[in-house]
Amino acid sequence: MPGKGVSKSAVIAIVVVVIVIIVGVAAYMLYKPPAKVSKPVTPTPPPSNVTTVTTKTTTVTPPSNNTLVVAETTPPDSLDPAIAAYTQDMEILYSCYQTLVIFNGTDPSSFLPALAYNWTVSNNYLNWTFYIRQGAYFQNGDQINATTVWFSIYRSIVMNQFGAFNFLDLLYNGTIASMTGYATPWGVCRAMEKIFGLQFPNPQTNLTGYEEECAYALANVLSNFNVHNQSIVELMEYPDQAVVVKGPYEIQFNLLAPYYDYLGVMAGSWAMIVDPTFVDQNGGVQPDQTTSYLSTHMLCSGPYTLAQYIPGEEIVLTANPNYWAAKNPPNFMLTPAHIQNIVIKYYTSFDEEILAFKTGAAQAIDSSPHESPPPIYFSAILSIPNIVMYGPVWSGGDVFLVFDTQRYPYNLTVVREAFAYAINTTEIIDTVLKGFGAPYLGPIPPYPPNPYYNPGNLPLYPYDPNKAIELLASAGFQLTLPNGTVINPNGKPLTVHLWYISTDLTFTQEAQMIQQMLSNIGVNVILEGVPVSYLVSAMENPPTSPQYPGFFLLDWYPDWWDPVAQEAWFILNVDFGGIAGNEAWYNNSLVNTLTTEAVFTTNITQRVELMKQVYAQVYKDVPYIWLYEPAFYGFTYKYVCGVLINPLITGFYYPTMYFYNGTGTCINYSPIYTTTGSS
């Protein structure tokens, strides 16, 4: 299933199963932006069911060069849809590449047609058929059809990077992939044996050999992709496999298990369609490997193209002059670019980012998590005249404290429960987040509203330090309170190490507050602020190892909006123990069974009942302390309109944005939190 719980958070890379580090990449330029730019295109009106907000008229004028400069701090990890896993990658990918379906504006749970104009699903939710638009093409004119889709999905799976995990147990067998190290779409190995006359090792006696040879054979097909080769045509049309070409513009996905929210999977970046010729001319496809060229180069079908990429410094997107939907966009999410150039500049600190915004060198600050300056900077930003702050956009994500439930003292339920009573989440939200967080009872966040959140209406753990002291005292721990009182003087003192990412100012503040709150109940907390890379390395150890972080602060963002799969399954099921999602290594047989059953249950009522049982058990076991659901927010000058922030795109959706020139209406799709007056 999706991403094996991979968060797309830029800072919390620790939940990414496969991290691709790009080093020594030179500056690449596909072509320079034009010296002269045209007037902005008249924005495509939104459908009537999309909420809009209109800003007041302002005398501040937009840049004369029709270029929007966006200030950020973290460059993309990869521009390859099969690899990209971070929040800062998404806004670029969604501007350039396209999927069969796309999110309906700000709503992460409903979808509009994109490269597919329609789709059907079987009654058992196993077979999803998409009908692809005729006349869609890449910026170089290469056509998009069913074979292009087949190529893109199979490429993503056989590369076995982040993109593949989002098809786990849907289009390929995750257990076999874990055992052998190779991911192959179900049925394709047998199809190649039959059509090409290949003979792979016997999977009954040599499963790894079978999967390895199959993976390399498939990669060879993809690296030499020729839709005029009759054998390749027969392979794509072979009926008993994961993805089947049913006609020139018809393609069917046959799932290993029924899945209700498969449209969410197909709207993700990992399902973006790439040009086979472009791939094959620049490295082809290899099993379990990345394609370095596509990590820094793009051939797009969407409203924007990649004009320039200087790693670590800036990315320039320019309006696609050969965009297939330019003249008659089927819906407002497929609108052509209104702003000619998007320049994303990467600054080394939030102070530099804010200075660029204040001086007008940048006209927007990105809305993705860890890119927007933390709330400690709100007063500085809101002192800038003529700006708009957007939010709160509820992320559908989680921020929580993780216990290594397999190691002392965190394997003691009484310790975990005591800590839950000792931590005042309301104070953290008010002090650190300035209210841009919602208290919740995990694993599923309350927003966007969904029936799976706390269906049994269990109360949040109240802030009760006396109860916390009572629990730890009953377990025999020696506690030295701030007033000098010593409880259980002959007991064992309780000292814990709290790990957090030191470069995250919000996490740093929160860790310091948690340290004080636990000190108030007599627990000695040693703060361990470390870089992301260090925490990643530590979490690769087994949970019984002293090198595995025993107690740490983490955030988590879903890859698509199915909280049952994305939160409950990955965060609680031991099959995803450790860096794959269940960082607590929580192992409860009932919860393991219930979460797996819930994911592949298509009846909403049954799903809710299963989640009710999951919540009841997890509430007693306390493998995590659920702190809050974070909210996204972003900033622009008032003349920037068409602002659309979808929590799963995790940044601005640039195609809908335009400059207000004093006439017409400035429409924004995301809520406005506040505006500042003129200077």
Side-chain angles (χ1 to χ4, degrees):
M1 275 301 295
K4 291 191 75 175
V6 179
S7 167
K8 293 185 295 193
S9 161
V11 171
I12 301 303
I14 55 178
V15 293
V16 178
V17 181
V18 179
I19 306 295
V20 180
I21 301 176
I22 309 300
V23 291
V25 182
Y28 290 105
M29 184 180 295
L30 297 182
Y31 56 90
K32 294 182 179 179
K36 296 181 180 180
V37 296
S38 59
K39 293 181 179 179
V41 179
T42 302
T44 304
S48 58
N49 65 333
V50 173
T51 301
T52 63
V53 181
T54 304
T55 60
K56 294 181 179 179
T57 302
T58 175
T59 57
V60 180
T61 57
S64 59
N65 62 353
N66 201 8
T67 296
L68 174 68
V69 179
V70 184
E72 302 189 14
T73 56
T74 309
D77 177 66
S78 176
L79 302 181
D80 187 339
I83 300 171
Y86 294 84
T87 53
Q88 68 269 22
D89 306 343
M90 297 302 125
E91 60 181 354
I92 302 166
L93 293 176
Y94 277 100
S95 296
C96 294
Y97 287 118
Q98 293 179 305
T99 47
L100 297 183
V101 295
I102 192 168
F103 305 111
N104 184 2
T106 59
D107 187 350
S109 62
S110 68
F111 307 93
L112 295 173
L115 291 175
Y117 68 86
N118 199 7
W119 57 86
T120 59
V121 59
S122 61
N123 291 334
N124 59 9
Y125 291 94
L126 283 172
N127 312 108
W128 295 73
T129 303
F130 294 86
Y131 304 92
I132 301 164
R133 298 181 191 278
Q134 298 186 41
Y137 46 82
F138 295 97
Q139 67 188 78
N140 64 352
D142 287 352
Q143 298 295 306
I144 295 172
N145 54 37
T147 65
T148 320
V149 176
W150 189 92
F151 174 95
S152 299
I153 302 301
Y154 275 23
R155 171 183 180 265
S156 186
I157 293 173
V158 79
M159 285 175 64
N160 202 18
Q161 306 299 309
F162 169 74
F165 292 111
N166 294 280
F167 299 110
L168 181 77
D169 289 343
L170 291 174
L171 299 182
Y172 75 98
N173 188 304
T175 302
I176 292 176
S178 177
M179 293 170 58
T180 65
Y182 294 95
T184 58
W186 77 262
V188 76
C189 302
R190 182 171 297 178
M192 288 190 293
E193 285 184 313
K194 182 176 181 179
I195 294 167
F196 298 147
L198 301 175
Q199 186 172 357
F200 302 138
N202 186 340
Q204 302 300 320
T205 57
N206 186 3
L207 182 60
T208 298
Y210 177 83
E211 289 292 316
E212 179 182 16
E213 290 195 20
C214 174
Y216 275 95
L218 178 58
N220 184 61
V221 170
L222 298 175
S223 297
N224 299 276
F225 197 63
N226 180 0
V227 296
H228 303 293
N229 181 299
Q230 185 57 35
S231 294
I232 293 179
V233 171
E234 290 180 20
L235 175 63
M236 292 187 291
E237 295 177 350
Y238 187 79
D240 297 322
Q241 62 174 320
V243 184
V244 179
V245 171
K246 305 287 286 186
Y249 296 95
E250 181 180 346
I251 194 159
Q252 186 177 77
F253 292 78
N254 302 308
L255 310 187
L256 288 168
Y259 188 51
Y260 180 81
D261 289 307
Y262 191 65
L263 287 181
V265 179
M266 295 307 296
S269 59
W270 46 87
M272 289 176 173
I273 308 307
V274 297
D275 185 349
T277 302
F278 180 66
V279 172
D280 290 351
Q281 289 176 346
N282 296 286
V285 181
Q286 294 294 322
D288 292 1
Q289 294 184 31
T290 64
T291 306
S292 59
Y293 189 85
L294 266 71
S295 286
T296 54
H297 294 73
M298 307 173 80
L299 187 76
C300 307
S301 66
Y304 282 98
T305 63
L306 179 65
Q308 178 172 293
Y309 180 21
I310 304 176
E313 296 184 23
E314 73 174 27
I315 280 180
V316 179
L317 305 176
T318 195
N320 184 352
N322 195 29
Y323 179 40
W324 62 270
K327 294 183 179 180
N328 187 26
N331 57 65
F332 82 112
M333 291 297 285
L334 298 179
T335 181
H338 308 309
I339 299 175
Q340 182 68 23
N341 303 303
I342 306 292
V343 178
I344 304 172
K345 287 187 174 290
Y346 301 103
Y347 296 90
T348 57
S349 69
F350 289 125
D351 290 321
E352 288 188 5
E353 185 181 49
I354 294 169
L355 180 61
F357 189 51
K358 182 177 182 179
T359 61
Q363 296 84 47
I365 295 178
D366 186 48
S367 59
S368 63
H370 308 293
E371 289 304 303
S372 289
I376 193 174
Y377 287 99
F378 279 1
S379 60
I381 299 173
L382 294 176
S383 68
I384 302 171
N386 297 307
I387 69 165
V388 180
M389 179 179 180
Y390 296 90
V393 176
W394 294 107
S395 64
D398 314 75
V399 174
F400 44 70
L401 286 163
V402 182
F403 295 105
D404 178 1
T405 60
Q406 303 302 307
R407 199 167 86 245
Y408 181 85
Y410 314 109
N411 60 341
L412 302 177
T413 303
V414 67
V415 170
R416 304 194 300 269
E417 186 179 3
F419 281 24
Y421 281 113
I423 294 174
N424 189 336
T425 57
T426 300
E427 184 179 348
I428 291 173
I429 292 170
D430 292 343
T431 303
V432 180
L433 303 178
K434 311 301 182 187
F436 273 74
Y440 81 115
L441 188 66
I444 291 172
Y447 303 109
N450 65 92
Y452 311 116
Y453 173 68
N454 192 12
N457 293 314
L458 297 168
L460 300 180
Y461 271 86
Y463 173 56
D464 190 345
N466 291 328
K467 177 69 172 179
I469 292 170
E470 177 186 328
L471 287 168
L472 293 178
S474 69
F477 287 106
Q478 181 190 111
L479 306 173
T480 302
L481 305 182
N483 63 6
T485 301
V486 179
I487 299 174
N488 292 335
N490 296 323
K492 183 177 181 179
L494 183 55
T495 297
V496 299
H497 294 251
L498 174 57
W499 296 57
Y500 65 97
I501 295 172
S502 57
T503 54
D504 188 300
L505 296 180
T506 299
F507 278 2
T508 300
Q509 287 182 280
E510 291 167 353
Q512 292 168 349
M513 291 186 69
I514 292 166
Q515 180 187 42
Q516 182 59 53
M517 292 171 184
L518 293 179
S519 174
N520 290 340
I521 65 168
V523 177
N524 180 36
V525 179
I526 300 172
L527 296 182
E528 301 282 3
V530 297
V532 172
S533 58
Y534 190 95
L535 198 50
V536 169
S537 177
M539 291 183 63
E540 290 173 348
N541 291 289
T544 54
S545 166
Q547 279 71 48
Y548 192 89
F551 182 45
F552 55 103
L553 187 59
L554 186 70
D555 67 352
W556 176 279
Y557 296 97
D559 298 317
W560 71 84
W561 184 240
D562 176 7
V564 173
Q566 290 284 297
E567 268 100 356
W569 197 34
F570 289 129
I571 294 175
L572 298 175
N573 195 298
V574 76
D575 287 347
F576 305 103
I579 199 170
N582 180 355
E583 289 87 0
W585 281 99
Y586 175 56
N587 189 5
N588 180 281
S589 58
L590 176 63
V591 171
N592 293 337
T593 299
L594 292 174
T595 52
T596 301
E597 183 180 349
V599 169
F600 299 110
T601 296
T602 58
N603 182 291
I604 301 297
T605 302
Q606 292 176 9
R607 262 188 159 199
V608 170
E609 179 57 33
L610 292 168
M611 283 299 98
K612 184 177 180 180
Q613 296 177 57
V614 168
Y615 261 91
Q617 187 62 50
V618 173
Y619 191 83
K620 292 188 293 185
D621 293 341
V622 204
Y624 301 87
I625 296 177
W626 316 105
L627 297 179
Y628 57 87
E629 177 184 353
F632 297 163
Y633 49 85
F635 305 87
T636 72
Y637 277 91
K638 287 181 178 178
Y639 53 72
V640 179
C641 304
V643 174
L644 190 161
I645 304 171
N646 184 296
L648 295 183
I649 295 176
T650 64
F652 293 124
Y653 184 61
Y654 295 119
T656 59
M657 297 173 75
Y658 62 98
F659 289 138
Y660 179 73
N661 58 10
T663 61
T665 305
C666 182
I667 295 174
N668 290 294
Y669 304 95
S670 292
I672 292 177
Y673 180 71
T674 190
T675 62
T676 61
S678 302
S679 57

